[in-house]
Amino acid sequence: MAAAPAAETLDGHKDRFDLGVFVDDLPLDEEVTSDDESLEGLQQELDNCKNDQEVANILANGIKLREYTKGVENNIRQIELDSIQDYIKESENLVSLHDQIRDCDNILSQMETVLTGFQTEIGSISSEIKVLQEKSMDMGLKLKNRKAAESKLSKFVEDIIVPPRMIDIIVDGEVNDEYMKTLETLSKKIKFIDADPMVKSSKALKDVQPEVERLRQKAVSKIFEFVIQKFYALRKPKTNIQILQQSVLLKYKYTIIFLKEHAKEIYAEVRAAYIDTMNKVLSAHFRAYIQALEKLQMDIATSTDLLGVETRSTGFIFSIGKEPLKTRPSVFALGERINILKEIDQPALIPHIAEAKSQKYSYEVLFRSLQKLLIDTATSEYLFTDDFFGEESIFHDIFAGPIQVVDEHFNAVLLNCYDAIGIMLMIRIIHQHQLIMFKRRIPCLDSYLDKVNMSLWPRFKMVFDLHLNSLRNANIKTLWEDDVHPHYVTRRYAEFTASLAHLNVGHGDGQLDLNLERLRMAIEDLLVKLAKMFAKPKLQTIFLINNYDLTISILKEAGTEGGKAQQHFEEVLKSNIAIYVEELLLEQFSSLIKFVKSRPADETATNSEKASIAEVEPLVKDFASRYKAAIELMHYDVITSFSNFLCGMEILRATLAQLLLYYTRLTECVKRINGGSALNKDLVSISSILFEIKKYSRTF
C-alpha cells in the first residue's frame, strides 16, 4: 500500500527524477567487497530498471533497496506460513476430493471398456452394410437388365406377332377407316421384319413371316380392286370429279402409300390406271365443252374486214355474213368488249344456259371461259395428285390429253381469226391468268400459258400487217367519195387505234406503239391521197380537217390520254385550219388581203410604199357595203362544211379574228395616207365588226 504514494510522488516529480542520486547514496555491506561481487553488466541492469515502475516507486519514497528486500522476504515467509495453515484446515476436504477423483477414474475406465465394445460392434455392422450395399447394386443391375430385356422382348413380340383380329380385318373386312388403321399396323410389321437383321435370324420369324406375306398379298389384292373401282367411278357421266376426289379418294390415301412401299409393281399399275382414266375423262369433258362453246361463237371479222377495204366489198351495207349488221362495228371498236378483262376471275360459262337464252359471244369471251375452266381444273388436279400420289410429275401425264384437245381447237380458231382486237384481248386474258396461277403458286401450266401467248403475238402481228397493208395499198378510186365529211376508213382507223392504245395502258408494249405509229403514217398518207381527189384546194383542206378532227375526238373519247398519234393529229389539224381560214377569207376579201399583205405593217414605210386614196377607197367602200353578207356567207360555209359543230365554231372564230386583224391593218394604212381622213365616214368601226362576230358566235 506504501507504493501508491510513491507512485503519485513519482508522477509529480517525473521531470526531475534522477536515479543516480539514490544509487550513489546506497550504503553497501561492509562484507561486500569488490572481490566478492562483479560489477560487470551493472550499467545495463541500471538502464533496464529505469523503466521499472516498482523500482521507481521505491526510490521515490526514499527507501533503501536492501531494507525493502528484507521486508518483501518477510512478507513472503508469512504468506507461506498462512498458506500451510489453510491447507491443514482443508485436509479433510482434499481427502474427500481425492476419493471422488479415484471413483470417477474407475467409472471412466468402465465407460471406456463399453465404448470400445461398441466400436468393435459398429465396425462389424459397417462391414455387413457394405456387403448388403454391394448385393443391392448387383440386384438393381440385374433388375434393370431384366426390364430392358423384357421391354425389347415385349416390343419384339408385339411387332412380330399377328393378332387374329388383324387377319380377320385384312382378309374379310371392308375397306374403311378401321381397315386403314389395320393396314398401317401391317405396314409397320413388314418394315420391322425387313429392317432389323436380328429379327431375320430369329426362330419366331420362320413361323410368322409366311403369314405376314400372305396378309400383304391379300391386302394388295383388295386395295387394288378397291382403288380401281373408285377410279372407274370417275368415268361415269355427270360425275363431279373434284367432290369424288376430295371426299372419297383422299380418305383412302394410305392405300396408295401402302402400295408404293410394299407393292411397287401394283402401284405402277394403279398409277397408270388413274392417268389413263383422268386423261380420257378430262379430254372428253373439254372436247364436249368446246363443242358446246362453238355453238355460242359469234363471228366478228373475216379476212376482208380490214381498215382500207371499201364498204361494199366487206358487206357492211348489204351484209350477207353470218351475224346481224349491228355486230359488225365491233370489228374495229373495243366498246364493251373491254369488260371481259374485268370479269377475268368469274366462273366459266355454262353453255346450255347461254344457248337456252340464244346468247352469242365474241371469241375472246369463249376463250376466257375455256382457259378459266382449264386453269381451275388443272389447279384442282395438281393439288390432288400431289397429295394423293405424292408426285407432281403425274399431272403432266394426265393433262397431256386435255391440253392437246384445247390446243387443237385453239389453233384451228386462231388460224382463221382476223379480229385484231379480239387477239389482243386474248393476250391480256392470258397475262391475267398467268398472274392468277402465280398467286396460287401453281406452276403446272406455266409452259402451256407461255406457249399460248407466243402463238397469239405472231397472229396479231399478221392481222395487224393486213390492216396496215390495206391502207398502204388501198384503191383510191374505189374509196373516194365526193363528200368532205369524215371518211369511214378514218373512223375505222380511229376506233382501231383507240382500242389498241387502251389495251396497251399499263403494259407499255413498245412494239405495239411502234406498229401504231406505222399505222398512223399509213392513214395520213391515204387521207392526203383521198383529199387530192377533190378539185378545189379548199375542199381538200375541209376534208382533211374533218377527218383529223374525227380522229382526235375518238382518241379522246377512248380515254387513252392522247399519245403520239393524238398529238400529231392536233398539230396537222391546227395547220390545216390556218390554211382553210386563209382560203375562206380570200374567197370574200381577196383584194383587201392582197393589199394588206403587200404593205408593211408598221409606220416605217417610205413615201413610195404608202398607198394612195385611189387604191384604198374602193377597198374601204367594198368592205363596208358587204362585210355583213360576207360574214354570213362564211358562217354558212363553215356550218355546212364541218361535221363537228364545236370544231366549226372554233374555225369560224379563227376566221373572223383573222378578218378583224386584216381590217385593222387596213384602217391603220388609211390613217397613214395624206388626206385619208376623208374616208373615215366609210370605215366600219371595230365595235361593229365585233358585234357581228359575237352575233354569229352566239347563234353557232
Side-chain angles (χ1 to χ4, degrees):
M1 297 299 293
E8 293 177 359
T9 305
L10 182 63
D11 292 337
H13 303 280
K14 187 176 182 179
D15 297 335
R16 51 189 178 86
F17 174 73
D18 189 358
L19 182 62
V21 175
F22 295 97
V23 173
D24 291 339
D25 296 337
L26 189 68
L28 300 174
D29 291 338
E30 296 178 357
E31 295 82 9
V32 178
T33 63
S34 59
D35 296 332
D36 298 329
E37 298 291 338
S38 176
L39 297 178
E40 185 179 358
L42 177 63
Q43 186 62 38
Q44 183 177 359
E45 291 180 0
L46 291 175
D47 292 339
N48 293 334
C49 290
K50 283 183 180 181
N51 298 325
D52 187 276
Q53 187 67 31
E54 190 67 25
V55 175
N57 291 333
I58 294 171
L59 293 178
N61 293 328
I63 303 173
K64 294 183 178 180
L65 293 177
R66 188 177 301 277
E67 293 176 358
Y68 187 82
T69 303
K70 288 181 179 181
V72 170
E73 289 178 352
N74 292 329
N75 290 336
I76 292 173
R77 188 176 296 110
Q78 184 63 41
I79 291 169
E80 181 181 2
L81 292 174
D82 293 339
S83 296
I84 292 171
Q85 291 297 320
D86 290 337
Y87 278 114
I88 293 172
K89 291 179 181 180
E90 297 293 332
S91 59
E92 293 180 0
N93 293 333
L94 292 175
V95 171
S96 175
L97 179 62
H98 181 267
D99 293 338
Q100 290 177 2
I101 292 171
R102 186 174 58 191
D103 294 339
C104 288
D105 187 46
N106 293 332
I107 292 170
L108 290 175
S109 177
Q110 293 175 2
M111 290 180 66
E112 181 180 8
T113 303
V114 173
L115 292 176
T116 302
F118 283 165
Q119 184 177 7
T120 304
E121 291 179 1
I122 289 172
S124 62
I125 291 172
S126 176
S127 300
E128 292 178 2
I129 290 173
K130 187 175 181 180
V131 172
L132 291 174
Q133 185 178 8
E134 291 177 354
K135 290 182 179 180
S136 176
M137 291 178 62
D138 185 53
M139 291 174 67
L141 181 61
K142 290 180 180 180
L143 178 62
K144 183 179 179 180
N145 292 337
R146 288 180 180 180
K147 285 183 176 180
E150 181 184 2
S151 176
K152 290 184 178 181
L153 184 60
S154 175
K155 189 176 184 307
F156 173 80
V157 172
E158 182 181 353
D159 289 340
I160 201 171
I161 194 173
V162 180
R165 177 63 179 167
M166 175 186 288
I167 298 174
D168 293 340
I169 293 174
I170 295 295
V171 175
D172 301 323
E174 295 182 357
V175 180
N176 49 26
D177 292 342
E178 185 181 11
Y179 194 91
M180 293 297 102
K181 294 179 181 179
T182 307
L183 206 60
E184 291 182 26
T185 305
L186 178 60
S187 176
K188 291 179 181 178
K189 293 184 182 298
I190 296 173
K191 291 178 181 178
F192 175 74
I193 292 173
D194 295 337
D196 196 338
M198 294 181 63
V199 176
K200 295 181 179 179
S201 60
S202 65
K203 295 182 179 180
L205 180 62
K206 296 179 181 179
D207 298 331
V208 175
Q209 190 172 19
E211 189 64 30
V212 173
E213 178 62 21
R214 282 193 294 271
L215 286 177
R216 184 193 70 82
Q217 293 177 0
K218 182 62 179 178
V220 168
S221 174
K222 181 172 286 190
I223 289 172
F224 178 77
E225 293 177 359
F226 175 79
V227 173
I228 294 298
Q229 182 182 4
K230 296 300 180 183
F231 288 171
Y232 283 152
L234 296 170
R235 300 188 178 188
K236 294 180 180 179
K238 299 181 180 181
T239 298
N240 191 317
I241 296 175
Q242 282 76 22
I243 291 179
L244 185 61
Q245 288 175 336
Q246 297 298 323
S247 62
V248 178
L249 292 180
L250 282 180
K251 184 179 178 182
Y252 301 104
K253 180 175 67 174
Y254 189 76
T255 58
I256 300 300
I257 298 174
F258 185 86
L259 292 177
K260 188 185 293 188
E261 293 177 346
H262 306 298
K264 296 185 181 300
E265 295 180 358
I266 303 300
Y267 169 75
E269 292 182 20
V270 170
R271 182 180 184 277
Y274 181 79
I275 292 173
D276 181 66
T277 298
M278 291 306 297
N279 189 307
K280 291 178 179 178
V281 169
L282 293 178
S283 297
H285 283 185
F286 276 98
R287 190 175 291 108
Y289 188 73
I290 289 171
Q291 291 174 356
L293 289 181
E294 288 174 347
K295 297 178 182 179
L296 306 176
Q297 184 174 346
M298 176 175 58
D299 293 331
I300 298 294
T302 63
S303 59
T304 59
D305 294 326
L306 303 174
L307 292 175
V309 177
E310 60 176 321
T311 305
R312 290 181 292 275
S313 64
T314 61
F316 278 174
I317 297 177
F318 304 102
S319 177
I320 57 174
K322 296 180 180 180
E323 305 303 331
L325 183 62
K326 62 181 180 180
T327 65
R328 303 297 284 176
S330 59
V331 176
F332 307 110
L334 182 60
E336 295 183 357
R337 298 173 72 181
I338 187 65
N339 293 335
I340 192 64
L341 297 180
K342 301 175 184 178
E343 302 167 357
I344 196 70
D345 209 20
Q346 293 297 314
L349 287 174
I350 302 176
H352 68 272
I353 295 178
E355 188 176 3
K357 296 179 181 180
S358 299
Q359 292 178 333
K360 295 285 185 177
Y361 302 95
S362 54
Y363 184 70
E364 70 270 7
V365 177
L366 307 181
F367 176 80
R368 184 212 69 88
S369 185
L370 178 60
Q371 298 300 321
K372 172 65 174 173
L373 180 64
L374 181 63
I375 65 172
D376 287 348
T377 305
T379 299
S380 175
E381 190 62 30
Y382 177 83
L383 295 174
F384 171 75
T385 53
D386 184 41
D387 191 6
F388 191 66
F389 289 96
E391 297 182 38
E392 294 182 6
S393 59
I394 194 173
F395 169 84
H396 299 287
D397 296 331
I398 293 170
F399 258 73
I403 288 178
Q404 182 179 357
V405 171
V406 175
D407 276 344
E408 289 175 357
H409 160 74
F410 174 69
N411 292 332
V413 172
L414 193 63
L415 188 63
N416 296 309
C417 182
Y418 295 91
D419 181 10
I421 294 175
I423 296 174
M424 183 53 65
L425 283 169
M426 287 189 277
I427 291 173
R428 300 308 178 215
I429 288 170
I430 284 294
H431 176 71
Q432 293 295 326
H433 283 168
Q434 287 176 321
L435 294 179
I436 290 173
M437 294 299 281
F438 176 76
K439 291 178 181 178
R440 293 178 180 179
R441 298 183 180 181
I442 304 295
C444 57
L445 287 182
D446 287 354
S447 59
Y448 166 77
L449 294 175
D450 288 339
K451 181 181 67 175
V452 174
N453 191 48
M454 294 301 292
S455 301
L456 287 167
W457 274 109
R459 185 65 188 182
F460 172 80
K461 182 65 168 57
M462 189 274 289
V463 176
F464 188 91
D465 287 343
L466 289 178
H467 287 290
L468 180 63
N469 292 328
S470 72
L471 295 178
R472 290 175 174 175
N473 304 324
N475 189 333
I476 305 300
K477 293 181 179 181
T478 58
L479 285 179
W480 183 76
E481 297 175 353
D482 191 10
D483 186 359
V484 294
H485 289 86
H487 199 278
Y488 59 82
V489 172
T490 302
R491 179 173 291 278
R492 293 180 189 173
Y493 161 78
E495 291 176 346
F496 186 72
T497 300
S499 299
L500 294 181
H502 187 72
L503 289 175
N504 200 33
V505 173
H507 297 276
D509 194 301
Q511 189 63 36
L512 181 56
D513 290 336
L514 182 61
N515 286 329
L516 290 176
E517 182 67 14
R518 293 164 59 206
L519 195 66
R520 180 198 61 75
M521 296 170 63
I523 188 64
E524 193 171 4
D525 291 342
L526 177 61
L527 290 176
V528 172
K529 292 177 182 178
L530 289 172
K532 290 180 179 179
M533 296 293 291
F534 292 94
K536 296 180 180 181
K538 177 185 172 184
L539 295 178
Q540 296 177 7
T541 306
I542 294 173
F543 175 78
L544 291 176
I545 290 174
N546 278 325
N547 283 276
Y548 293 154
D549 178 65
L550 175 66
T551 302
I552 294 170
S553 299
I554 293 176
L555 290 176
K556 286 183 177 179
E557 289 174 3
T560 56
E561 299 180 357
K564 294 182 179 179
Q566 181 179 327
Q567 294 175 5
H568 176 79
F569 283 117
E570 287 175 349
E571 292 174 1
V572 294
L573 174 64
K574 185 177 180 181
S575 64
N576 278 275
I577 287 176
I579 294 172
Y580 172 76
V581 168
E582 288 297 320
E583 291 175 347
L584 185 60
L585 290 173
L586 283 172
E587 287 182 354
Q588 302 297 330
F589 304 100
S590 59
S591 299
L592 185 151
I593 294 172
K594 289 178 182 178
F595 174 79
V596 170
K597 288 184 176 181
S598 65
R599 294 292 185 272
D602 53 18
E603 298 182 359
T604 59
T606 61
N607 291 330
S608 60
E609 293 176 339
K610 290 182 179 180
S612 63
I613 294 178
E615 290 178 313
V616 175
E617 185 177 5
L619 297 176
V620 173
K621 291 182 177 181
D622 178 68
F623 183 84
S625 63
R626 66 183 189 86
Y627 81 94
K628 292 183 180 181
I631 291 177
E632 185 176 356
L633 288 174
M634 288 189 294
H635 170 259
Y636 178 78
D637 192 294
V638 168
I639 64 174
T640 56
S641 298
F642 299 104
S643 304
N644 187 345
F645 289 105
L646 295 177
C647 179
M649 183 171 65
E650 292 297 327
I651 293 172
L652 180 61
R653 287 175 180 171
T655 303
L656 297 179
Q658 187 64 32
L659 174 63
L660 182 61
L661 178 62
Y662 283 144
Y663 189 71
T664 303
R665 290 177 60 183
L666 176 64
T667 57
E668 291 175 353
C669 185
V670 170
K671 292 178 183 178
R672 291 195 297 268
I673 298 174
N674 294 328
S677 59
L679 298 175
N680 287 344
K681 65 180 185 302
D682 296 321
L683 287 174
V684 179
S685 64
I686 299 300
S687 60
S688 299
I689 299 174
L690 289 174
F691 176 78
E692 293 298 322
I693 292 175
K694 291 180 180 179
K695 181 176 68 173
Y696 285 105
S697 297
R698 286 195 301 268
T699 59
F700 186 72

